[in-house]
Amino acid sequence: MASLAQQFTGLRCPTLSSSRLSVKPNQTRKMGAFASPIVSAVAVSNPQSKDRLELKKMFEEAYERCRTAPMEGVSFTLEDFQTALEKYDFDSELGTTVKGTIFCIDANGASVDISAKSSAYLPVQEASIHRIKHVEEAGIVPGLTEEFVIIGENVADDSLILSLRAIQYELAWERCRQLQAEDVVVKGKVVDGNNGGVVALVEGLLGFVPFSQISSKSTAEELLDKELPLKFVEVDEEQSRLVFSNRKAVADSQAQLGIGSVVLGTVQSLKPFGAFIDIGGINGLLHVSQISHDRVLDIATVLQPGDTLKVMILSHDRERGRVSLSTKKLEPTPGDMIRNPTLVLRRLKRWLRHSGRESLKQKLWLVQTCLDSSLRVA
């Protein structure tokens, strides 16, 4: 035993470096019982092990803080988090208005980003109140931000179906109600017709114009693709009913002409005291004494219902809705309206061409000159 102790006393161990921290398995087996104390001594003296211990301590402290005071030192509170969730809460019920941005278009419509987990799509038929073949015709391009209405859901991929047309439809009805209240004249394009009247397009909506409310005797085929001045008669969104009158619109424009104006009229009915003339929605009276300078014994010998003729406005009582008309003031010579109505109209056309650029005062002066000349000849 003494010799063995002397042998260990004479052993000198070299300094351990960081490169010799790991011990190979075969070395451990050779060292036998002395392996564990040596490895333990190396681990305690290694600086990296100290760093690990410090990190472990730091994580333990952080864990304890998270467990006991998780919101300590954090400016974003639970209330702020709840508010953020409510801000981005998305309602996907039908009829809900959402704001979205177009990010892709194709032949069938456009994809819309509405900041929701579900994707959204705008079909081409829902992109405009007007008929279009591609969404670009309605100004739908990537980057455009608009408000849309959710009108459906695609069950296959849970995507939402959007519409711009529904919003434009409501705005169009609101606009029509406003125009009716203001009693203004609008332009309507005739797009169809039937036995009762024609169909006109106004503010993107289709409305009906009965033949009884059209000032001319034109057929539906003759009016197709033409624009008519119209006034609103009925605006009923609930019943999707829109009715116009061309006669009222024409009457409104002709009412601005004033006394002395010459307008086109149609004979509506004959009475013993005169004839009622329709001048674009207004019924004017052509008194028997104003038909010709010569005496008219029987109005039916001069005029018949349906005849079209030029008449001059003598007076216009807007409060009572009464208009007095005259044809005798347009006779080249007294009695021409009875003897030769065609001559009167021909002379009138030449006069209108000659004085087309003259003022109303000059036109009236020209008519008076013609009348004075006719009376002197008589």
Side-chain angles (χ1 to χ4, degrees):
M1 291 295 290
S3 60
L4 181 59
Q6 292 174 356
Q7 293 178 12
F8 276 105
T9 304
L11 289 176
R12 303 182 67 180
C13 295
T15 304
L16 293 176
S17 62
S18 59
S19 62
R20 300 175 61 188
L21 290 176
S22 60
V23 180
K24 296 182 180 180
N26 56 353
Q27 291 178 340
T28 304
R29 285 194 298 269
K30 290 180 180 180
M31 294 175 66
F34 297 99
S36 296
I38 296 174
V39 172
S40 177
V42 172
V44 171
S45 63
N46 189 350
Q48 292 185 358
S49 298
K50 292 181 180 180
D51 293 341
R52 292 192 185 97
L53 290 175
E54 292 178 358
L55 288 173
K56 179 181 179 182
K57 183 179 180 181
M58 183 178 66
F59 282 121
E60 288 176 351
E61 292 176 353
Y63 170 78
E64 186 65 18
R65 286 196 304 270
C66 292
R67 188 179 66 82
T68 58
M71 300 305 296
E72 182 179 355
V74 179
S75 60
F76 192 77
T77 64
L78 290 175
E79 290 76 11
D80 295 333
F81 182 68
Q82 183 64 29
T83 302
L85 290 178
E86 293 175 356
K87 178 180 179 181
Y88 291 97
D89 189 22
F90 185 78
D91 186 4
S92 60
E93 293 184 1
L94 297 184
T96 302
T97 301
V98 296
K99 192 172 185 179
T101 302
I102 306 294
F103 67 88
C104 180
I105 62 175
D106 54 39
N108 298 318
S111 299
V112 187
D113 177 17
I114 55 174
S115 301
K117 63 180 181 179
S118 302
S119 60
Y121 193 75
L122 175 69
V124 64
Q125 63 270 20
E126 294 294 334
S128 175
I129 195 173
H130 303 283
R131 292 182 181 180
I132 58 175
K133 295 182 179 180
H134 197 278
V135 292
E136 287 184 322
E137 298 178 32
I140 307 298
V141 294
L144 177 69
T145 300
E146 283 285 356
E147 285 191 341
F148 304 86
V149 173
I150 301 176
I151 61 172
E153 182 178 359
N154 191 343
V155 182
D157 57 2
D158 292 333
S159 62
L160 299 175
I161 302 176
L162 307 180
S163 173
L164 273 175
R165 179 178 176 271
I167 295 179
Q168 296 174 358
Y169 190 75
E170 293 181 1
L171 292 176
W173 278 105
E174 180 63 29
R175 177 64 176 161
C176 287
R177 286 191 291 268
Q178 180 183 358
L179 293 173
Q180 183 189 31
E182 296 175 357
D183 195 33
V184 299
V185 177
V186 298
K187 290 287 186 179
K189 184 178 181 180
V190 178
V191 296
D192 200 358
N194 52 41
N195 294 332
V198 298
V199 178
L201 184 65
V202 176
E203 296 291 329
L205 301 175
L206 295 177
F208 188 65
V209 189
F211 280 127
S212 61
Q213 293 298 321
I214 297 178
S215 59
S216 66
K217 296 298 180 181
S218 304
T219 63
E221 291 76 13
E222 294 172 339
L223 295 175
L224 192 63
D225 294 329
K226 291 184 178 180
E227 284 193 345
L228 298 177
L230 302 170
K231 271 197 170 185
F232 291 89
V233 175
E234 183 178 356
V235 179
D236 188 348
E237 182 179 0
E238 294 184 358
Q239 301 294 329
S240 295
R241 182 176 174 84
L242 201 58
V243 181
F244 301 105
S245 173
N246 169 248
R247 292 164 60 91
K248 290 185 176 181
V250 173
D252 183 76
S253 61
Q254 290 188 352
Q256 305 301 322
L257 296 176
I259 298 173
S261 301
V262 178
V263 297
L264 181 67
T266 303
V267 178
Q268 294 296 308
S269 61
L270 301 178
K271 301 294 181 181
F273 52 85
F276 284 100
I277 311 294
D278 175 25
I279 53 174
I282 296 178
N283 279 326
L285 175 62
L286 176 60
H287 195 270
V288 64
S289 62
Q290 290 294 330
I291 295 178
S292 175
H293 283 89
D294 288 357
R295 186 179 180 182
V296 178
L297 299 177
D298 186 3
I299 301 177
T301 59
V302 182
L303 300 173
Q304 288 294 323
D307 288 350
T308 301
L309 69 162
K310 296 281 186 176
V311 293
M312 176 180 285
I313 299 176
L314 295 180
S315 64
H316 188 185
D317 188 346
R318 290 186 174 87
E319 293 183 358
R320 296 184 179 182
R322 295 179 181 179
V323 179
S324 298
L325 307 173
S326 174
T327 54
K328 79 175 185 179
K329 291 187 176 297
L330 304 178
E331 291 181 322
T333 57
D336 281 346
M337 190 61 192
I338 297 177
R339 294 188 296 270
N340 193 352
T342 304
L343 178 62
V344 176
L345 298 179
R346 190 183 301 119
R347 175 71 181 271
L348 178 61
K349 290 179 181 179
R350 288 200 303 268
W351 167 69
L352 290 175
R353 285 198 303 269
H354 175 72
S355 60
R357 296 184 179 179
E358 304 295 333
S359 65
L360 178 60
K361 184 177 180 180
Q362 290 172 318
K363 290 180 181 179
L364 293 176
W365 175 83
L366 183 58
V367 171
Q368 189 62 46
T369 302
C370 294
L371 293 175
D372 293 343
S373 177
S374 300
L375 291 175
R376 284 197 297 270
V377 172

